[in-house]
Amino acid sequence: MKTPQESHSLRAERHQTILVVDDDEHMRRVTVRILEKTGYDTLEADSGKACFEVLDDELPDLVLLDVVLPDADGFDICRRIKTRPETSHLYVILASGARVEPEEQARGLALGADGYLAKPFVYEEFIARIDSFSRLHRTEQALREDRDAAKHNAQRHADALAVANVQLSESEARYRAIFTHSADSIVVLDPETGVFRDFNTRAHQSLGYDRLTFSGLRLADIAPSAKNEEKALSKARLERLDPLDVVEYETVFVDAEGEPHDVRVRNQKLRIGHELSLLMLWTDVTEEKRAKEEKARIEREMEEQRSLALRADRLRSLGEMAAGIAHELNQPLFGVRGTAENLVIGLDRGWSLSAERLRSSLEEIIEQADRMTYIINHVRTFARESGRPESQPVNLSEVVRS
């Protein structure tokens, strides 16, 4: 049972807007009440046209979209949402009570849907899945924002580096301003010893060192693996580099407490006067990697949930089929047993059974046995064909009646 603090935190996380698109007013109202009760804001639409009218006025975080609508196919609406630039980032969850076969779900996911729910919803499972989709959406949104920011920063710093490399020999003041105020960690290294010739405040603070301690370190002290770093410090390699070439790679640096940090490094040749140096910039991407790992974990959990749901549906269908077969076989079996028992009773009691009556009873037994054989053969045929992609559902009752 959740504590009041945990419940409040969960409701705060759920503070997202979900557009519920369903032409069944009762189902739509029930779904909206469930979502609002658990902390989500909602919007409503009863058709494909109404869906896009809502999206033109207000963008939700998620769209819960019924596959069967009166004026449009839910798959087509999903495709249109995902191809419109202004709505392509929205999370679309398809829902259906009729079109729940794996092929239909695969089709929806191929068109860009982010999930598929089968109706009718089970309350706890429905909320758990919506919460899972919501967390995944928030994670992807954060990753997208981080990626855009990183791309913007990378371009900004690349431009700054190009300007600094051209202007360093002419203006030490301009170089120092860019060097000091950069949002990235920057160090200038001696390519022969790996000693830090210069560094900005961000460099030593990002790894938890004070300026004095950091000034006495070498690159090997913060990069224990040093494979990429040894290549970067090769003087012959630096000499061959064009001044505008930037060498990028990812590695692990260790801070003052011994904790590892995933970093994205950009190296560039730097010459001040006759002195050759290595200009190294790095960005800590530890949180970015954790977010990606969390996204992958959530996707694995969702896939496991889908597999469990499909397996449960198959087992339920097999159980219903077995019950039907048992019922249909019981009728001819009862007839066979009844006829045979009557013959045995008659023989025990010395009844005079004419050849014609005996023949009639045996023919009835054979007829009922043939009926059971017919049922079993049709079941075998169904079992063989059910594994084929082109197979169609078979009504066992109709087969038996025929």
Side-chain angles (χ1 to χ4, degrees), residues 68 84 90 106 126 142 184 186 229 278 326 328 363 367 376:
V68 181
R84 291 174 59 180
L90 296 182
F126 173 66
D184 275 338
I186 304 178
E229 288 67 29
L278 173 68
E328 296 299 340
E363 287 177 346
E367 180 182 353
I376 292 171

Side-chain angles (χ1 to χ4, degrees), residues 89-346:
H89 66 285
L90 296 182
Y91 238 59
V92 179
I93 306 166
L94 296 175
S96 177
R99 301 167 71 175
V100 296
E101 296 80 8
E103 297 88 343
E104 296 290 344
Q105 296 190 30
R107 179 187 171 197
L109 295 174
L111 290 172
D114 300 286
Y116 205 111
L117 298 179
K119 293 181 178 179
F121 304 136
V122 178
Y123 178 84
E124 293 293 339
E125 180 186 4
F126 173 66
I127 292 302
R129 286 176 177 265
I130 291 295
D131 285 345
S132 178
F133 287 129
S134 177
R135 289 193 301 271
L136 185 57
H137 173 65
R138 286 197 301 271
T139 301
E140 287 189 345
Q141 189 175 35
L143 283 173
R144 188 163 50 247
E145 292 172 354
D146 289 345
R147 182 191 61 212
D148 292 343
K151 183 178 179 181
H152 174 75
N153 286 337
Q155 185 60 49
R156 179 166 59 88
H157 293 308
D159 294 341
L161 281 173
V163 171
N165 203 41
V166 173
Q167 300 295 329
L168 275 174
S169 60
E170 302 175 357
S171 176
E172 174 64 23
R174 180 178 299 176
Y175 156 73
R176 179 54 57 184
I178 295 173
F179 183 86
T180 303
H181 298 104
S182 174
D184 275 338
S185 300
I186 304 178
V187 295
V188 178
L189 299 104
D190 183 332
E192 294 183 350
T193 65
V195 171
F196 300 149
R197 288 175 170 166
D198 200 359
F199 51 86
N200 66 353
T201 302
R202 179 66 178 168
H204 69 83
Q205 287 184 346
S206 67
L207 296 177
Y209 288 97
D210 59 66
R211 187 171 186 84
L212 181 61
T213 302
F214 197 72
S215 65
L217 299 179
R218 298 187 307 157
L219 182 58
D221 296 322
I222 65 170
S225 63
K227 291 182 179 179
N228 287 317
E229 288 67 29
E230 288 173 1
K231 294 179 182 178
L233 289 173
S234 169
K235 188 171 182 179
R237 181 183 177 90
L238 274 177
E239 290 286 3
R240 292 194 300 269
L241 282 179
D242 186 275
L244 296 180
D245 287 343
V246 177
V247 179
E248 298 188 20
Y249 59 90
E250 290 191 3
T251 188
V252 176
F253 285 173
V254 176
D255 64 20
E257 301 297 327
E259 294 296 325
H261 292 255
D262 294 305
V263 294
R264 185 175 296 116
V265 178
R266 297 182 295 281
N267 292 332
Q268 190 169 13
K269 173 181 178 179
L270 178 65
R271 189 180 294 277
I272 303 177
H274 297 290
E275 187 177 66
L276 180 65
S277 299
L278 173 68
L279 182 65
M280 175 179 287
L281 295 84
W282 72 80
T283 304
D284 194 317
V285 294
T286 304
E287 293 303 321
E288 178 183 332
K289 285 198 170 184
R290 287 176 183 169
K292 289 180 179 178
E293 292 171 357
E294 176 66 10
K295 176 187 174 184
R297 185 188 66 78
I298 292 174
E299 288 177 342
R300 288 195 299 272
E301 288 181 357
M302 291 173 58
E303 183 59 34
E304 290 174 1
Q305 291 174 3
R306 282 195 290 268
S307 298
L308 289 174
L310 288 173
R311 190 177 298 117
D313 289 342
R314 292 194 188 101
L315 289 175
R316 185 167 54 253
S317 299
L318 287 174
E320 293 173 355
M321 179 184 292
I325 293 172
H327 175 74
E328 296 299 340
L329 285 176
N330 190 54
Q331 294 182 8
L333 185 62
F334 181 78
V336 169
R337 181 178 179 83
T339 302
E341 286 180 346
N342 284 336
L343 288 175
V344 171
I345 292 172

